[in-house]
Amino acid sequence: MGVECPGVGQPVMKQLRNNVIRAGLGALYLSGAHHLLRPLLSGVGAIFMLHHVRPAREDAFQPNRHLEVTPDFLRATLCHLRSSEIDIVSMDELHERLVQGRFERRFAAFTLDDGYRDNRDHALPVLREFDAPATVYVASDFAEGIGRLWWTALEAVIAKAEQVEVTIGHSALRLDASTPAAKQATFDRLHDWLRALPGEHDLKREIEALCVAHGVDMEALCRSLCLSWDEVKRLAADPLVTIGAHTISHCNLAKQSEEIAAEEMAVSRVRIEQALEREVLHLAYPYGDREAAGTREFALAASAGFKTAVTTRPGMLFAENAGHMTALPRVSLNGNYQDARILPVLTSGAATAMWNGFRRFAAA
C-alpha cells in the first residue's frame, strides 16, 4: 500500500473558490452595485449564523476556519448594523415581527450553532457592548460531554499525522499528511467521504476508528470545546441569551427515518427544557443544507412545537418567510471572509441573491 496524495488539486480548487467568492464580494463593494440592489434584495431582515467566536489562530492547517470568526469581526458586524439603523432582535421578536408584518424597520438576529464555550467567553462580551440578543443552539449530547464533533476530530487526527490509513470502499489507502497542503487535501477527501456515508452509524464507526488509530479522544474534545449543562444554564440566565435546540446528536436528519428524526428534535427539546426549566421554542437543523433538511424536516419541526427553525441555506428574510417559519434561511459570517468592507454587501442581500441565482425567496 503506497502513500497516495489525495488530489492536490482539491485544496487548490477550494482556495480558488474562496478567492472567487472573495473577489465577487469585493467587486460588489467597489462597484457600489450593492447600493442599487439593496431596495430589491435586502428584504425585511436577516438571521446571521456563527459557530465559534474566538481569537485568530496561527496554525497553518485550519480546515474548519470557515466556522470561526474573531471577536473583532463580530464587533465590526454589530457596529455596522447599529450604524445602519438595523434593529438587532431575539428570535422571539423576529418571529413576532414576521407574523405581525411589522416591517417599518429592518431587523437582524444572531444565532450560534452547537453550544461552544467560546460563545460565552468571547461572543457574549461583544454582544453586551451592543446590547445585542443572540440565540445559542445546543446539541444535547454536546452538553452531556459525549457528542461527536467529528469534523473537529478529523482535523485533530490529520494535524498530528504524517499519513492517514483508511479503507474507502474496497480500497485501502495511505493518504499523505506531511505538509499543510497535503493535510488539507486529505481532510477534504475524508470530510466529503464521511459526510456522504449512508448512515450515522457508518460515520460513527469510521471516525472512531480514525480517532483510536491516532490517539484522539473525541469525548475529551467535546468536553473541552462545548458548554456543559451547568454552563448552559448559567448562560441562559443572561437576558441577552436564548437557548435553542440543535437535536440530540447533531446528525443529518434527512438520512434518518421519520421516527428517529422526530425523536432527535423532540427529545433534544425536552432535555434542554428539563435542564433550564424553561420553554425551548427555536431549532437549528444540523448541517442545515438541502441534503440535511427539507420539506419533511420542516414539517417535523413544526409538529414538535418549534416556533422557528433555521437552515444554513443562504438568504435574506422577506414577508413570505412568515408562511415558512421552520425553513428560515441565514446569512453566514464565514471565517474565510472577515473583511469589514463586505458587511454592506451582506446586509444589502446582493451576496445571498447572487448565490441563489437572484431568487429573492425560496422556502423548499
Side-chain angles (χ1 to χ4, degrees):
M1 179 170 63
V3 177
E4 177 184 331
C5 183
V8 241
Q10 291 177 22
V12 172
M13 289 303 295
K14 179 172 281 190
Q15 185 60 47
L16 180 60
R17 184 185 66 187
N18 287 338
N19 289 342
V20 168
I21 293 172
R22 191 176 293 108
L25 292 169
L28 283 169
Y29 170 77
L30 292 171
S31 69
H34 60 291
H35 293 301
L36 299 174
L37 294 170
R38 180 180 291 114
L40 297 173
L41 303 175
S42 63
V44 299
I47 304 170
F48 287 100
M49 173 177 65
L50 304 98
H51 291 79
H52 290 284
V53 178
R54 58 190 181 189
R57 296 179 291 150
E58 297 302 323
D59 312 56
F61 173 60
Q62 293 188 53
N64 291 306
R65 187 198 303 267
H66 62 290
L67 296 177
E68 55 187 88
V69 302
T70 66
D72 282 344
F73 186 65
L74 176 58
R75 184 177 290 108
T77 304
L78 289 161
C79 187
H80 168 71
L81 294 174
R82 289 293 191 213
S83 66
S84 302
E85 298 186 344
I86 296 173
D87 294 342
I88 303 171
V89 302
S90 67
M91 286 300 293
D92 281 326
E93 185 170 347
L94 180 142
H95 175 271
E96 185 178 306
R97 290 196 186 194
L98 281 173
V99 168
Q100 296 179 358
R102 290 169 45 205
F103 305 140
E104 61 276 5
R105 286 174 61 92
R106 293 182 65 216
F107 51 88
F110 280 78
T111 59
L112 301 106
D113 291 8
D114 300 337
Y116 295 114
R117 193 168 285 114
D118 57 55
N119 295 175
R120 177 200 65 191
D121 296 343
H122 297 293
L124 185 57
V126 179
L127 293 165
R128 284 173 174 160
E129 290 176 29
F130 294 85
D131 194 28
T135 297
V136 176
Y137 296 107
V138 173
S140 55
D141 274 0
F142 293 179
E144 294 280 354
I146 59 172
R148 294 190 306 276
L149 288 83
W150 65 265
W151 54 96
T152 304
L154 182 62
E155 177 178 347
V157 163
I158 296 171
K160 64 191 301 186
E162 289 293 308
Q163 59 185 32
V164 179
E165 295 185 6
V166 64
T167 300
I168 298 179
H170 300 294
S171 301
L173 304 176
R174 184 178 293 154
L175 304 178
D176 182 23
S178 59
T179 66
K183 288 179 186 296
Q184 183 66 59
T186 291
F187 180 90
D188 290 342
R189 179 162 186 175
L190 295 182
H191 180 280
D192 292 349
W193 166 61
L194 290 166
R195 179 77 199 273
L197 289 170
E200 209 62 27
H201 60 285
D202 300 300
L203 193 158
K204 180 176 184 290
R205 179 188 67 245
E206 299 297 348
I207 191 63
E208 286 182 352
L210 284 167
C211 286
V212 168
H214 293 273
V216 171
D217 185 333
M218 263 201 301
E219 287 193 9
L221 195 61
C222 177
R223 291 191 298 271
S224 71
L225 292 173
C226 295
L227 296 158
S228 68
W229 280 126
D230 285 344
E231 291 171 314
V232 172
K233 191 169 184 176
R234 288 195 292 273
L235 181 63
D238 192 292
L240 289 176
V241 176
T242 298
I243 301 297
H246 203 32
T247 73
I248 301 169
S249 64
H250 198 284
C251 64
N252 183 326
L253 292 169
K255 290 186 176 181
Q256 312 307 312
S257 69
E258 184 168 329
E259 181 182 3
I260 291 175
E263 181 182 354
E264 281 277 343
M265 297 185 205
V267 172
S268 69
R269 180 184 178 189
V270 169
R271 288 182 182 175
I272 299 168
E273 287 180 337
Q274 288 175 341
L276 302 184
E277 299 179 339
R278 67 179 69 183
E279 277 192 308
V280 172
L281 299 173
H282 306 284
L283 171 76
Y285 303 106
Y287 312 110
D289 55 22
R290 293 181 184 278
E291 286 71 45
T295 304
R296 186 193 72 168
E297 289 67 45
F298 303 156
L300 289 174
S303 296
F306 290 105
K307 284 168 54 174
T308 72
V310 294
T311 69
T312 61
R313 300 182 187 186
M316 308 298 284
L317 297 175
F318 295 89
E320 295 93 330
N321 286 105
H324 304 273
M325 285 294 192
T326 56
L328 296 175
R330 289 191 282 179
V331 177
S332 173
L333 291 182
N334 187 306
N336 289 322
Y337 315 115
Q338 296 185 72
D339 182 344
R341 295 181 308 162
I342 72 169
L343 293 171
V345 177
L346 290 181
T347 54
S348 74
T352 52
M354 187 170 60
W355 185 273
N356 291 324
F358 287 91
R359 288 178 299 164
R360 281 167 30 108
F361 169 76

